[in-house]
Amino acid sequence: MEKLLKILLPLLVLLPPQALAADNHWIDSVSATIGKDGNSNQTDVYRIGIQNRWNRTWFNDGAWYLGGYWDVSVGYMESGRENSDLYEVGLTPVLRLQRDADISSGVTPFSEIGVGGHMLSDDDIGERELGTNFQLASHIGLGLGFGDRGRYELAYRFQHMNNAGTHSPNNGLDLHLLRFGYHFE
């Protein structure tokens, strides 16, 4: 419960009240993510996020189409080594290739890629020095939408965070993430 509060409270501070209004359509979905650092398996990751779908799709003549969304996340990382932790805020544009929910039989597979920025509250976690508080994060993911029109989704993401060589050291993090999402529409 304490970990959940550590990431929920900063998110509520960052969100303007209009974004949570029922008649506002900026927030299309919400997500919760958990994961581990693949380099040492000593760092745990917890994130919650909100998403806004782009009003544009491409290659949608068949059963599959390319679309995208903005992913805004707030997270908390803690390392078992040296008992360290940090907070993060991220903004990532994501491209997603997925099957049309109207055509599928209740399950909508998808794959996605994204590259965005994350601001961290510290420039190291455990024994890993990241060089700077600003990190670029790229991810690839595979998942399934399910339920009425793909309203729920479960996905695996591999994410790499580093400072793109702007500072030394540039040790970065490799994260294995499991993400659950819920779409309002």
Side-chain angles (χ1 to χ4, degrees):
M1 184 63 165
E2 180 183 334
K3 292 175 188 173
L4 185 60
L5 288 175
K6 285 182 177 183
I7 57 176
L8 278 177
L9 292 177
L11 181 64
L12 293 176
V13 170
L14 293 173
L15 282 177
Q18 313 85 283
L20 299 174
D23 60 345
N24 186 318
H25 296 288
W26 196 90
I27 299 175
D28 296 313
S29 61
V30 294
S31 62
T33 303
I34 59 171
K36 286 233 179 245
D37 172 15
N39 298 325
S40 65
N41 212 24
Q42 293 292 319
T43 301
D44 295 322
V45 180
Y46 307 92
R47 291 183 186 147
I48 56 175
I50 58 174
Q51 294 77 40
N52 173 262
R53 278 184 296 221
W54 301 341
N55 291 326
R56 176 99 171 117
T57 58
W58 299 272
F59 312 111
N60 49 355
D61 292 337
W64 292 81
Y65 68 92
L66 183 65
Y69 62 93
W70 290 102
D71 188 8
V72 179
S73 64
V74 174
Y76 173 74
M77 292 185 200
E78 67 179 350
S79 177
R81 292 187 180 169
E82 297 185 23
N83 198 23
S84 68
D85 61 357
L86 61 82
Y87 293 94
E88 64 170 322
V89 176
L91 174 63
T92 306
V94 179
L95 278 175
R96 179 182 278 190
L97 177 66
Q98 74 181 59
R99 187 167 172 84
D100 192 339
D102 291 332
I103 296 173
S104 71
S105 59
V107 176
T108 56
F110 62 84
S111 63
E112 61 182 30
I113 59 171
V115 178
H118 285 246
M119 183 58 76
L120 309 180
S121 63
D122 203 344
D123 64 355
D124 61 18
I125 182 76
E127 297 173 351
R128 187 164 294 275
E129 295 180 39
L130 303 173
T132 180
N133 294 56
F134 181 76
Q135 300 285 303
L136 289 176
S138 58
H139 80 263
I140 57 172
L142 295 172
L144 292 173
F146 56 95
D148 182 35
R149 298 179 55 80
R151 181 164 289 212
Y152 305 96
E153 65 183 41
L154 187 61
Y156 165 79
R157 284 182 173 178
F158 173 77
Q159 184 176 55
H160 178 73
M161 298 176 80
N162 68 37
N163 67 38
T166 60
H167 292 79
S168 184
N170 184 19
N171 291 322
L173 289 169
D174 291 328
L175 303 173
H176 297 278
L177 306 169
L178 185 62
R179 183 174 176 269
F180 178 77
Y182 175 78
H183 296 270
F184 295 115
E185 296 177 19

